[in-house]
Amino acid sequence: MIRSFFIVIVVFLWVPHRSSAQVLTIPQQQVDTEREYIRANQLKLIGKTDEALKIFEEIVRKDKRNHAAFYEIARIYEAKQDWLNAEKAIANAVRINPREPWYFVKQVDILEEQNKLDAAAKVFEDLIPLKPDQQALYTRWAQILTNAGQYEKAIDVLNEEEARFGKNLGITEAKVSIYKKEGKKEEVI
């Protein structure tokens, strides 16, 4: 056994290796953009958000399809409570990359913070298909609908959550709370 293992190693080392790997050339502009993106995030992490914001804004000025930079811009404006600019930036990120669930979640955060509950609830119509197995999203959606006074839609979402994940105390309590707000005592019982 040891002898055959040794032979395999010797043969492996002796046989010349030929690789069919291709060299990937990345355009310098892309390398520069990545470098700037990393630098902006470093600045953000050490609290130099204004400098980071300038870099991210320069990135999107040069590359209007850079959804990640728009997301970071939205996060900075959100931290500054500049809701209008945060909302515009995250809308751009979502428009450019509508397959990224985190962008939708951030959009909900920003809209909810501005008390734009109807708009925040509508975002879930695009978000849920991306993450249908995230129960917390259904719960949050129902809560936002409830806060917006859209009780029937909130009940529909809770029913959908219950059908997908099963009955639980949290869903039941949410439904009871909504029925009480609507004055539907017969539903509570």
Side-chain angles (χ1 to χ4, degrees), residues 80-125:
K80 292 175 173 272
Q81 296 185 340
D82 181 343
W83 303 116
L84 181 61
N85 283 317
E87 187 176 344
K88 286 178 185 177
I90 200 62
N92 280 321
V94 166
R95 179 183 49 77
I96 296 164
N97 185 1
R99 303 294 306 156
E100 179 51 61
W102 290 111
Y103 296 172
F104 287 104
V105 170
K106 183 55 62 187
Q107 190 173 37
V108 168
D109 293 343
I110 291 167
L111 291 168
E112 188 176 22
E113 192 62 44
Q114 298 175 83
N115 206 31
K116 294 182 176 181
L117 301 178
D118 292 334
K122 185 139 180 62
V123 171
F124 283 95
E125 294 172 14

Side-chain angles (χ1 to χ4, degrees), residues 10-153:
V10 170
V11 169
F12 178 76
L13 294 174
W14 179 74
V15 175
H17 295 332
R18 289 194 176 170
S19 174
S20 62
Q22 297 177 348
V23 176
L24 177 63
T25 305
I26 300 172
Q28 188 61 42
Q29 181 181 355
Q30 186 177 346
V31 172
D32 293 343
T33 299
E34 289 297 321
R35 183 181 300 115
E36 289 300 300
Y37 183 85
I38 291 168
R39 176 74 180 133
N41 273 299
Q42 289 171 331
L43 289 167
K44 189 175 74 169
L45 288 172
I46 61 172
K48 296 183 177 184
T49 55
D50 289 334
E51 290 177 52
L53 182 60
K54 286 177 186 173
I55 293 171
F56 285 128
E57 287 178 338
E58 182 63 20
I59 290 170
V60 298
R61 189 187 65 74
K62 292 177 185 175
D63 177 8
K64 298 197 182 327
R65 306 268 323 142
N66 194 315
H67 51 87
F70 275 115
Y71 175 76
E72 294 299 336
I73 291 168
R75 291 182 64 201
I76 291 172
Y77 279 128
E78 176 187 31
K80 292 175 173 272
Q81 296 185 340
D82 181 343
W83 303 116
L84 181 61
N85 283 317
E87 187 176 344
K88 286 178 185 177
I90 200 62
N92 280 321
V94 166
R95 179 183 49 77
I96 296 164
N97 185 1
R99 303 294 306 156
E100 179 51 61
W102 290 111
Y103 296 172
F104 287 104
V105 170
K106 183 55 62 187
Q107 190 173 37
V108 168
D109 293 343
I110 291 167
L111 291 168
E112 188 176 22
E113 192 62 44
Q114 298 175 83
N115 206 31
K116 294 182 176 181
L117 301 178
D118 292 334
K122 185 139 180 62
V123 171
F124 283 95
E125 294 172 14
D126 295 322
L127 176 56
I128 292 292
L130 295 176
K131 291 286 192 179
D133 295 327
Q134 293 271 336
Q135 186 172 2
L137 294 177
Y138 292 86
T139 303
R140 186 167 180 204
W141 187 10
Q143 184 61 51
I144 290 172
L145 286 166
T146 301
N147 292 344
Q150 296 184 39
Y151 301 130
E152 285 185 38
K153 285 184 181 179

